[in-house]
Amino acid sequence: MEQLRGEALKFHKPGENYKTEGYVVTPNTMDLLKKHLEVTGGQEQWRPLCVHWPPFLSLLTRCFLIHSHTAFSSSSSQVRSRFPPEPNGILHIGHAKAINFNFGFAKYFLSELSVPVKANGGICFLRYDDTNPEKEEEKYFTAIRDMVQWLGYEPYEVTHASDNFQRLYDLAVDLIRRGHAYVCHQRGEELKGHNVPPSPWRDRPVQESLVLFERMRKGLFAEGEATLRMKMVMEDGKMDPNITHSLCTKEFQARRSSYYWLCNALDVYCPVQWEYGRLNLTYTVVSKRKIIKLVETGVVRDWDDPRLFTLTALRRRGFPPQAINNFCARVGVTVAQSTMEPHLLEACVREVLNDSAPRAMAILEPLKVTIIDLPAGARRELRVADFPANEAKGSHTVPFSNTIFIEQSDFREVMEKGYKRLTPDQPVGLRYAGFVISVKNIIRDESGRVCALQVSCASSDSVEKPKAFIHWVSEPLRCEVRLYERLFVHKNPEDPAEVPAGFLSDVNPTWTSTRPVVPVQGRLISGLWVQGQQSDNSLTVIESALVDRSVAAARVFDKFQFERVGYFSVDPDSTAQKLVFNRTVTLKEDPGKI
């Protein structure tokens, strides 16, 4: 919030909009500001935008709805902001920045913008910009609010642009009557380029435009056959712009004058427009159209596929909302567009999960180990700390018997320089068990591959300390584990210069393991590792992984650190018979080190 506070100091105080550079002052400005303060009790409208607006009534929608949100009076000076998404898709990581900026600023700062205050110091509206019913679905309305709340924010009120369509229509009629708008029949292709010819209908009589606009309302014109255009001249000399996008991010800064012009033409209160750069990530796409294409072609399952960077996908993968908020704060609020590497977000995830995810032991590629020193019926319960660095935070028990399972990568037949785990000539310690094991016999299957080990054990207090301690499981639960990597090969899959054949040609494949995988020449040949390198598969599914029984009661979205493996979250596909875990992030940025 300190970063937000620094940006906040740039904003004006209540009633001092006119002090902002570029703000348009008219003879009615001071009276409108005075009335605004009287209605709101000193509340200030703050409106950085982050989403696009549909054609035709877009500016009118912004003009009226920002003004109408002042009707809720409140004591003391407060920041008032709003988050206005279109309910025609799922929010993505870029929206998280907008949510944090709008809701976070209102939550922590008064409109004097000089001191932070306790939570709920201001208010923020969630306003659905539902002006394009052909593309809107109820699931998007629900998902948007769910994601806002998941990030830790509660809207002061949920509103809809569609609730005010009649008022918006009335404002459009008023604009025509004032001589500031007219109905035009130029086609979109005629309005492209820098030397657009003036509209031959610019000077048509007001009454004629009113009649035509009423016919437009009744749907008597084909799409694009008639457009209501504002009668103004832009800074670059263009006349009467068709408004199809908001003044959202830096690239739309030139549209700000249209917004100010419209507010002043209608004699309504005009909030200050402030633009900031959008947030993008490499190795992904966030375009709704392109995500739909990924779903339709079967590349991903749905909007919440954990390889995507929609907020529902990140939740399913196991990203804590606090980590996303921390990431947005670190990225900061700048005028320039931010394009970040995914590993920066993942670092924020590790920081949060390190303190919040209890430890457990899981084996992704099991190798059976029989301890010949222990009787077949020998069994005991070991108490293991949930957080080894802070045992006061709780513990759980795991069984230990003469049959355990270890990772195949924790055993090598041939010793290699720097390898510290189990070999025929090198013992290894078992975490929490108090034993050091040594190989006595290697068991192979019919093809000659290693399928099991027989070992002896000694108390760790009675032998030389081993070079390494490894994790293990005994009497485990069988589970499914899904390992996620980058969905795309190239950093910018939408860039034709990097990917000439298009983003769909740049997708990493998936891989599924239905049986244990064994070492070959000291290296695993599964979808996980090849020649010691990280997998190129965007999704690796291990259907027969093993996990200790301490997680048996885990619920969907519960998170764990599987020791020496990574951070994992329970997937909604889990059943009473079989848990499914998604790898959220690896323990370190480079998991390929021995």
Side-chain angles (χ1 to χ4, degrees):
M1 282 300 147
E2 280 301 307
Q3 199 280 337
L4 287 180
R5 184 171 182 266
E7 292 298 321
L9 294 176
K10 301 176 183 179
F11 292 109
H12 59 86
K13 293 183 179 180
E16 295 184 356
N17 306 36
Y18 57 89
K19 292 186 178 181
T20 304
E21 182 180 358
Y23 189 80
V24 178
V25 178
T26 72
N28 293 329
T29 295
M30 300 313 295
D31 286 340
L32 291 170
L33 291 175
K34 181 179 178 181
K35 292 177 182 177
H36 168 70
L37 293 177
E38 291 173 353
V39 171
T40 64
Q43 290 183 339
E44 184 54 46
Q45 304 300 303
W46 179 72
R47 55 181 312 275
L49 297 177
C50 65
V51 295
H52 289 198
W53 293 74
F56 180 47
L57 292 180
S58 56
L59 272 185
L60 287 173
T61 304
R62 297 206 301 278
C63 172
F64 171 65
L65 291 179
I66 286 293
H67 180 69
S68 67
H69 282 170
T70 68
F72 303 90
S73 62
S74 176
S75 61
S76 79
S77 297
Q78 286 182 312
V79 167
R80 278 194 165 208
S81 60
R82 85 283 182 274
F83 175 59
E86 295 178 63
N88 60 0
I90 300 297
L91 302 182
H92 56 71
I93 187 65
H95 291 105
K97 176 179 177 179
I99 292 170
N100 272 275
F101 202 7
N102 282 275
F103 281 91
F105 183 80
K107 185 174 183 179
Y108 288 99
F109 294 93
L110 290 173
S111 62
E112 278 80 6
L113 310 175
S114 57
V115 292
V117 297
K118 65 181 181 180
N120 299 318
I123 60 177
C124 184
F125 294 86
L126 169 59
R127 195 200 70 230
Y128 293 113
D129 184 31
D130 55 340
T131 54
N132 190 359
E134 291 183 355
K135 296 184 178 180
E136 293 157 9
E137 297 182 40
E138 182 60 34
K139 67 178 181 180
Y140 298 138
F141 285 87
T142 302
I144 288 171
R145 181 163 187 172
D146 285 348
M147 290 300 97
V148 169
Q149 293 173 327
W150 178 64
L151 288 177
Y153 300 108
E154 188 62 41
Y156 175 76
E157 184 171 341
V158 177
T159 61
H160 301 75
S162 60
D163 296 337
N164 300 283
F165 276 170
Q166 185 57 49
R167 176 60 176 145
L168 294 172
Y169 180 80
D170 293 342
L171 284 170
V173 170
D174 188 23
L175 198 67
I176 297 173
R177 286 175 174 163
R178 290 170 181 253
H180 295 315
Y182 62 97
V183 173
C184 177
H185 303 288
Q186 284 180 296
R187 297 284 183 173
E189 55 271 18
E190 300 178 63
L191 302 175
K192 295 180 180 179
H194 295 284
N195 297 312
V196 178
S199 170
W201 293 278
R202 193 173 197 270
D203 296 321
R204 77 186 328 159
V206 167
Q207 191 59 39
E208 185 176 322
S209 284
L210 288 172
V211 171
L212 291 171
F213 189 54
E214 175 64 19
R215 293 183 62 194
M216 289 171 63
R217 185 176 73 91
K218 294 179 178 179
L220 300 180
F221 288 101
E223 182 72 22
E225 188 178 350
T227 305
L228 185 64
R229 298 180 66 183
M230 299 188 301
K231 193 180 293 187
M232 65 167 291
V233 179
M234 301 284 285
E235 291 94 332
D236 59 4
K238 289 186 179 180
M239 298 176 61
D240 314 338
N242 270 319
I243 304 303
T244 60
H245 295 80
S246 76
L247 321 180
C248 50
T249 43
K250 185 62 179 178
E251 62 266 33
F252 297 111
Q253 186 174 13
R255 300 284 187 175
R256 187 196 303 176
S257 59
S258 302
Y259 178 75
Y260 287 168
W261 181 91
L262 182 57
C263 289
N264 293 327
L266 290 168
D267 285 329
V268 297
Y269 168 71
C270 183
V272 174
Q273 172 81 29
W274 191 87
E275 300 89 4
Y276 59 90
R278 67 176 65 202
L279 170 62
N280 292 325
L281 284 182
T282 55
Y283 296 101
T284 191
V285 297
V286 295
S287 160
K288 296 171 186 175
R289 178 179 60 82
K290 291 178 180 177
I291 291 177
I292 289 174
K293 182 64 69 174
L294 290 171
V295 174
E296 290 176 344
T297 55
V299 172
V300 298
R301 294 175 59 182
D302 208 337
W303 291 81
D304 65 346
D305 188 296
R307 290 168 290 179
L308 297 174
F309 280 84
T310 61
L311 294 185
T312 54
L314 295 180
R315 178 177 63 176
R316 183 166 188 169
R317 184 162 173 169
F319 282 37
Q322 180 185 346
I324 295 175
N325 293 344
N326 292 347
F327 172 69
C328 292
R330 292 182 185 182
V331 169
V333 182
T334 61
V335 175
Q337 177 172 296
S338 302
T339 300
M340 313 300 293
E341 298 279 350
H343 69 81
L344 299 175
L345 172 58
E346 293 171 356
C348 293
V349 172
R350 290 187 187 95
E351 288 180 6
V352 173
L353 292 181
N354 184 55
D355 294 331
S356 61
R359 276 47 171 177
M361 292 190 288
I363 303 296
L364 304 191
E365 298 183 304
L367 177 62
K368 182 179 178 180
V369 175
T370 301
I371 304 174
I372 58 177
D373 305 76
L374 299 179
R379 184 184 188 278
R380 61 173 172 154
E381 295 284 335
L382 304 179
R383 185 153 294 276
V384 178
D386 291 337
F387 298 87
N390 185 358
E391 295 185 5
K393 294 178 71 172
S395 63
H396 60 276
T397 60
V398 296
F400 181 77
S401 67
N402 74 318
T403 300
I404 64 173
F405 297 88
I406 66 173
E407 288 285 359
Q408 292 182 19
S409 59
D410 283 337
F411 169 73
R412 289 185 183 173
E413 286 192 77
V414 180
M415 182 68 174
E416 294 184 12
K417 183 179 179 180
Y419 187 77
K420 299 179 180 181
R421 288 161 280 166
L422 187 62
T423 73
D425 300 314
Q426 179 171 272
V428 74
L430 300 178
R431 294 173 74 104
Y432 309 118
F435 288 115
V436 175
I437 59 174
S438 301
V439 176
K440 294 301 181 183
N441 188 26
I442 299 175
I443 301 172
R444 304 175 185 276
D445 63 15
E446 294 178 353
S447 65
R449 296 182 299 184
V450 176
C451 62
L453 300 175
Q454 291 179 338
V455 303
S456 62
C457 72
S459 171
S460 56
D461 295 330
S462 63
V463 296
E464 183 180 351
K465 183 179 179 180
K467 294 181 179 180
F469 284 82
I470 63 175
H471 68 290
W472 50 273
V473 294
S474 182
E475 301 178 11
L477 300 173
R478 192 169 297 276
C479 66
E480 179 178 308
V481 169
R482 299 170 182 173
L483 307 179
Y484 296 96
E485 296 294 345
R486 292 169 178 164
L487 181 59
F488 295 99
V489 175
H490 291 86
K491 182 176 289 188
N492 301 296
E494 298 173 279
D495 186 351
E498 285 191 45
V499 188
F503 73 101
L504 288 178
S505 69
D506 199 47
V507 173
N508 275 321
T510 63
W511 186 91
T512 300
S513 171
T514 58
R515 60 179 177 82
V517 184
V518 299
V520 173
Q521 297 180 349
R523 299 293 188 186
L524 295 177
I525 53 166
S526 69
L528 307 179
W529 307 97
V530 178
Q531 300 300 317
Q533 300 299 314
Q534 193 169 350
S535 167
D536 289 331
N537 300 313
S538 65
L539 169 60
T540 299
V541 180
I542 304 173
E543 296 183 340
S544 297
L546 304 176
V547 64
D548 72 53
R549 291 184 174 275
S550 67
V551 305
R555 297 174 296 179
V556 172
F557 299 138
D558 280 354
K559 298 164 181 58
F560 300 91
Q561 182 196 108
F562 290 168
E563 297 196 40
R564 301 180 60 237
V565 180
Y567 293 101
F568 290 78
S569 178
V570 180
D571 188 83
D573 287 343
S574 297
T575 66
Q577 291 73 38
K578 189 176 185 180
L579 289 171
V580 178
F581 292 94
N582 295 322
R583 185 174 67 187
T584 306
V585 289
T586 56
L587 291 179
K588 297 179 180 179
E589 184 177 331
D590 180 9
K593 295 181 180 178
I594 296 177

